Amino acid sequence: MTDIKMLALDLDGTLYNTEKIVSDANKKALAAARARGIKVVITTGRPLKAIGNLLEELDLLDNEDYSITFNGGLVQRNTGEILDKSSLSFEQVSHIHKELEAVGLPTDIISDGDVYSIPSSDGRHSQYHLANPLLNFIDVKSVTELPKTIAYNKIVTVTDPDVLDQQIAKLAPSIFEDFEAFKSRDVIFEIMPKGIHKALGLDLLCQHLGFEAKHVMAMGDEANDFTMLEWAGLGVAMANGVEGAKKVANAVTNLTNDESGVAEAVTRFILDEEN
């Protein structure tokens, strides 16, 4: 695929293995791709603060290195400069919390590196802190305690998979009609502003760089990756990915995230190609 100029990588279930580690094989393949001029772009639902020292590990700290965070809600240089952003209004946050509370789900409201955690009315607490321990968690009892003047990037609810699926099915249709609402992992349900997703973030970044979708290879495994897998010139789903990811992708890795599937795909579609 000689047109590839950018490699967009999801983290959980894709670049990360089950232990949240990037394998040596993956690191080596990404370094080789970068040596050929390919831009490696982390494309995640997380904020940068939640990925620890990953950018240092991959040597992605230059002013011309970029990440898509909050599922497309922020397009930024890895030095921190924000190129494009979107957010939820306080009124939208209040509405979403009301709907989650109505079906007994806890609410985590995220603003940059801060997470305002509201338990469900029956005392169920979100488990988001287990998934993202590097963020700053603030316990509040209701949305009335939230600051009114800050930007809210997204809302998540994190609980046992069986409970989550059962309660998501009871949510008001407006959640799915008025927002981007999807599972990013079996235990995580995320709600974003309408029209904000990974494909949009990548498209905005490509506009800054003068690239087109055909220049992008995207890799992912979950529902929040569907848009970029479908949009990219080459969408590659992980062998461990959900069926929906495999359906919209152009290709599927033979190896899982625990077997360095990213390295396999980079070798197959970038390094083995004549450039």
Side-chain angles (χ1 to χ4, degrees):
M1 299 292 292
T2 53
D3 278 346
I4 294 174
K5 298 179 180 179
M6 179 188 296
L7 174 60
L9 291 171
D10 171 56
L11 293 182
D12 297 294
T14 303
L15 182 59
Y16 282 152
N17 63 19
T18 304
E19 302 301 318
K20 308 301 180 192
I21 293 170
V22 181
S23 70
D24 289 341
N26 281 350
K27 289 180 184 178
K28 183 178 178 180
L30 295 185
R34 294 182 67 224
R36 295 200 180 191
I38 306 295
K39 282 199 175 297
V40 173
V41 177
I42 301 302
T43 310
T44 178
R46 302 178 182 216
L48 279 187
K49 289 183 180 179
I51 65 175
N53 63 350
L54 176 66
L55 299 180
E56 288 91 339
E57 277 188 59
L58 300 181
D59 191 25
L60 295 175
L61 292 171
D62 288 347
N63 199 46
E64 293 305 313
D65 291 323
Y66 304 87
S67 291
I68 309 296
T69 56
F70 291 114
N71 292 308
L74 284 185
V75 180
Q76 58 193 122
R77 296 182 191 272
N78 289 348
T79 53
E81 179 189 352
I82 294 171
L83 303 178
D84 294 283
K85 65 178 179 178
S86 61
S87 58
L88 295 164
S89 68
F90 180 79
E91 290 72 24
Q92 288 175 318
V93 167
S94 298
H95 170 69
I96 293 167
H97 170 253
K98 180 181 177 181
E99 298 300 336
L100 290 175
E101 188 176 49
V103 298
L105 287 172
T107 306
D108 277 327
I109 303 157
I110 302 158
S111 176
D112 194 16
D114 292 331
V115 183
Y116 297 89
S117 295
I118 307 175
S120 63
S121 53
D122 63 356
R124 180 179 292 272
H125 288 263
S126 174
Q127 299 170 17
Y128 192 54
H129 64 284
L130 300 177
N132 286 286
L134 297 177
L135 299 179
N136 178 40
F137 286 81
I138 304 163
D139 291 329
V140 294
K141 294 180 180 178
S142 75
V143 291
T144 59
E145 297 179 38
L146 298 178
K148 306 292 193 298
T149 57
I150 62 175
Y152 294 101
N153 302 102
K154 68 175 180 178
I155 288 176
V156 302
T157 184
V158 185
T159 191
D160 300 329
D162 292 343
V163 173
L164 187 60
D165 289 340
Q166 180 180 328
Q167 300 312 104
I168 287 174
K170 299 176 184 177
L171 280 171
S174 64
I175 291 295
F176 300 92
E177 294 164 0
D178 299 340
F179 304 95
E180 300 293 333
F182 47 80
K183 288 182 72 176
S184 59
R185 285 167 57 189
D186 62 341
V187 296
I188 302 180
F189 181 66
E190 307 199 18
I191 302 170
M192 298 281 303
K194 189 69 174 177
I196 302 304
H197 43 68
K198 289 186 177 183
L200 175 72
L202 286 169
D203 188 55
L204 290 169
L205 178 56
C206 281
Q207 290 178 41
H208 285 287
L209 298 176
F211 294 172
E212 299 176 35
K214 67 181 181 181
H215 298 134
V216 180
M217 173 176 160
M219 296 190 66
D221 71 306
E222 264 289 358
N224 63 326
D225 300 316
F226 291 176
T227 61
M228 73 170 182
L229 291 174
E230 193 167 20
W231 170 88
L234 178 61
V236 182
M238 299 297 293
N240 52 281
V242 298
E243 285 306 310
K246 297 175 182 178
K247 184 176 180 180
V248 299
N250 303 106
V252 179
T253 63
N254 297 310
L255 303 177
T256 69
N257 64 313
D258 283 328
E259 300 167 322
S260 301
V262 166
E264 176 221 324
V266 169
T267 299
R268 194 194 331 172
F269 296 114
I270 296 176
L271 302 181
D272 281 352
E273 291 285 336
E274 292 292 328
N275 284 329

